[in-house]
Amino acid sequence: MITFKFHGTSHGEGYSGVISGLPDGFTFDVEEVNKELYARKHGLGRSARQVYPDTVVFEGFDKQVTVNGDLRFFVANRSVEERPEITALRSGHSDVVGQARHPEMSVREIAEITSARNSVCYVVLGAICKQFLARRNIFTYHYVEKIGGIASRNRYRFGVSEREPHFEVLHCPCRYATNLMTQAIEQARVEGNSLGGTVAVGATGVPMGLGEILPYTERLDAVIAANLVGIPSVKGITFGIGDKYANMNGVQAHDKLTLQDGQIVYATNNCGGIVAGVSTGADILCHLTVKPVPTVKNVQTVDSVTKQAAVQHYERADVCVVPNVGVIADNILAYVLTNQILKQDK
């Protein structure tokens, strides 16, 4: 079983991590990890801070890493600085609830440790796991479905959509929607506002039988949900056709079975690749609801020192992180699946 620890802050030296439980002898490419870090950081809706690429350093290794016990890594921060205390509280950040849980810490200290910047560590872990899965012909993926109320008109096709020139802009398979989303993001940037949306996260090549039926906390969809909903800005998750189930009857809703080469297989995939906590052999597919980034301009709040009305604290911030949440979720899904495979291999 893979275990994982890290520490660091958003504006400190960087993030250090230790990964345990990867199979000894497994070799992976550092450059492939850096590609995922690049995708996590960059994009149309990101702030000016995201100009410089993130790179990971593995203790004792350079371009290739061969696992032999615990794996230690470090990702440096490009921006190392002291930042002022936050008193004009932001309701959508950890400012208020963080101090309720840790009254001994300042709001700035809490903001530094809870920053989504720490997702670099999860991407490092997931990028390694993606290389493990690829050798079993299992591949995770993501794509943007909606930003700011603008929905994609096209269906995503694994291995094809990524080759469309416009896909890199916002990770959306629809050129028309991408253009409208781009305009909406730029308008929000001008206004000091932010946009949310939905992103799909999936995996293809997952064999039937991965996961657990009992206990319910170990069901594959429960483990995936617990990990993906923990990503900052994610406020909801559905699997397969999700909310559409509410408008169907049982005959319409449930997937059909068929025979293929003498084996019973799922002919449709309303369920998103998981039934009773176990994979069906179809693509695992879930949809994440991503809230707008809470650091926006001209929002009324309360100052924690004066206890008077104030305009909430504002510092450089992303306008839209929906595609970047997709990258993070894509990598975390790879970790979850790798962990399940290693557990069941034993």
Side-chain angles (χ1 to χ4, degrees), residues 20-27 66-71 342:
S20 305
L22 289 167
D24 286 344
F26 169 61
T27 299
T66 299
V67 177
N68 183 20
D70 290 352
L71 192 61
L342 292 176

Side-chain angles (χ1 to χ4, degrees), residues 90 93 192 194 293-297 312-318:
R90 302 163 298 176
H93 271 290
S194 61
V293 173
T295 298
V296 291
K297 293 181 178 178
Q312 80 167 21
H313 177 79
Y314 182 84
E315 53 194 41
R316 62 190 176 198
D318 300 319

Side-chain angles (χ1 to χ4, degrees), residues 92-93 113-119 122 227-235 288-294 321-322 324-326 328 332:
H93 271 290
I113 64 171
T114 60
S115 167
R117 170 76 182 146
N118 66 40
S119 62
Y122 299 103
N227 278 271
L228 297 190
V229 172
I231 299 171
S233 293
V234 172
K235 297 301 288 184
L288 304 180
T289 301
V290 183
K291 71 177 183 179
V293 173
V321 295
V322 179
N324 310 92
V325 167
I328 298 164
I332 291 177

